[in-house]
Amino acid sequence: LDVLSPAALTYNLEVYSDATYTTPVTGSPFNNLTALSQALTGLSAATTYYFRVQANNATCSSAFSTGSFTTTCTAPANPTAAAQSFCSAAAPTVASLTATSLTGATVKWYNVATGGAALASTAAIYTGTYYVTQTVGSCESSRVPVAITVTVANAPTASVTQTLCADAAPTLANITVTAATGATVTWYDAATDGNVLPTTTLLVTGTTYYVAQTVNGCASTRTAITITLAATPDAPTIVAPDEAYCSGATIANIQIT
């Protein structure tokens, strides 16, 4: 802080954090200064301070001259963060996001590149680009874009009841299920928890099986499918298979039991 009064021998300088001059900064007042500037410590960035200064000669002191100044803010380095993926079933929020910041820094997340307000830690996140900053003191870094993917894994679709032929000894692999492209299908013996069943598991009539699909590492809820195994009918018997027929006979003339 620079002061100047040509006729003065010394100066008295007072610096405050409020406009009513009630809260002095560290070291204030600075009395009987002979230099025309004074270094100040303990100031906060991007903050307005208020000062008053008077000049002294050998006999008298002047009235105070007043003024103010605002400190500048040096932005810290940007935080770092990699692209991140989540499953919608986990209900991810801003608190789920991760970034590497300076020790003691406050990390803030935004859903816009400029403007807007920092997101609450409880705000739900969705697929898109988010922006992260770090604040040291009152100085905030630039915003760093981070790609976020939230995968929604829907349950696979299937007829909830399916009938198969018992004589074919069908397995889980024979049940018709529609899953997402590239998804992995998993069978279970219960609607939740339970045991994973191999696709070679023989089907039992009247039993309900449960199928889920995994998309990008995210498991869906399970679809229940109840199986009925139908008995194979006996082959028909042809009466007099070697009987001769008159010209013009049709298949209706063949006797079958």
Side-chain angles (χ1 to χ4, degrees):
L1 187 64
D2 296 328
V3 295
L4 180 61
S5 178
L9 297 177
T10 62
Y11 300 93
N12 298 329
L13 172 65
E14 300 174 3
V15 183
Y16 298 86
S17 59
D18 61 303
T20 57
Y21 304 104
T22 58
T23 306
V25 302
T26 301
S28 180
F30 305 94
N31 293 323
N32 298 314
L33 300 175
T34 57
L36 298 182
S37 63
Q38 174 64 34
L40 302 175
T41 61
L43 303 185
S44 299
T47 302
T48 299
Y49 292 90
Y50 304 87
F51 67 89
R52 57 188 182 185
V53 61
Q54 68 180 172
N56 307 311
N57 60 25
T59 305
C60 303
S61 296
S62 72
F64 279 104
S65 294
T66 61
S68 64
F69 62 92
T70 300
T71 55
T72 58
C73 186
T74 302
N78 293 338
T80 58
Q84 298 168 49
S85 298
F86 302 91
C87 299
S88 63
T93 65
V94 169
S96 308
L97 301 174
T98 60
T100 301
S101 60
L102 297 171
T103 301
T106 299
V107 173
K108 298 178 182 179
W109 290 90
Y110 300 84
N111 57 8
V112 289
T114 59
L119 300 172
S121 62
T122 55
I125 58 175
Y126 306 93
T127 295
T129 301
Y130 287 78
Y131 303 84
V132 62
T133 68
Q134 64 178 336
T135 299
V136 178
S138 57
C139 298
E140 188 174 14
S141 71
S142 299
R143 300 185 188 185
V144 177
V146 183
I148 302 300
T149 300
V150 179
T151 298
V152 179
N154 296 315
T157 58
S159 296
V160 296
T161 58
Q162 297 188 32
T163 301
L164 301 171
C165 182
D167 285 359
T171 66
L172 290 174
N174 298 115
I175 299 177
T176 301
V177 174
T178 301
T181 302
T184 300
V185 171
T186 305
W187 291 93
Y188 298 88
D189 60 4
T192 57
D193 298 325
N195 301 301
V196 174
L197 302 175
T199 57
T200 55
T201 299
L202 290 171
L203 301 181
V204 177
T205 192
T207 300
T208 299
Y209 300 91
Y210 303 86
V211 62
Q213 64 178 336
T214 301
V215 181
N216 295 331
C218 299
S220 72
T221 55
R222 301 175 189 181
T223 299
I225 304 171
T226 301
I227 297 299
T228 298
L229 298 183
T232 302
D234 295 332
T237 300
I238 301 176
V239 178
D242 298 323
E243 184 177 351
Y245 295 92
C246 297
S247 175
T250 67
I251 194 169
N253 298 110
I254 301 175
Q255 298 183 46
I256 300 175
T257 60

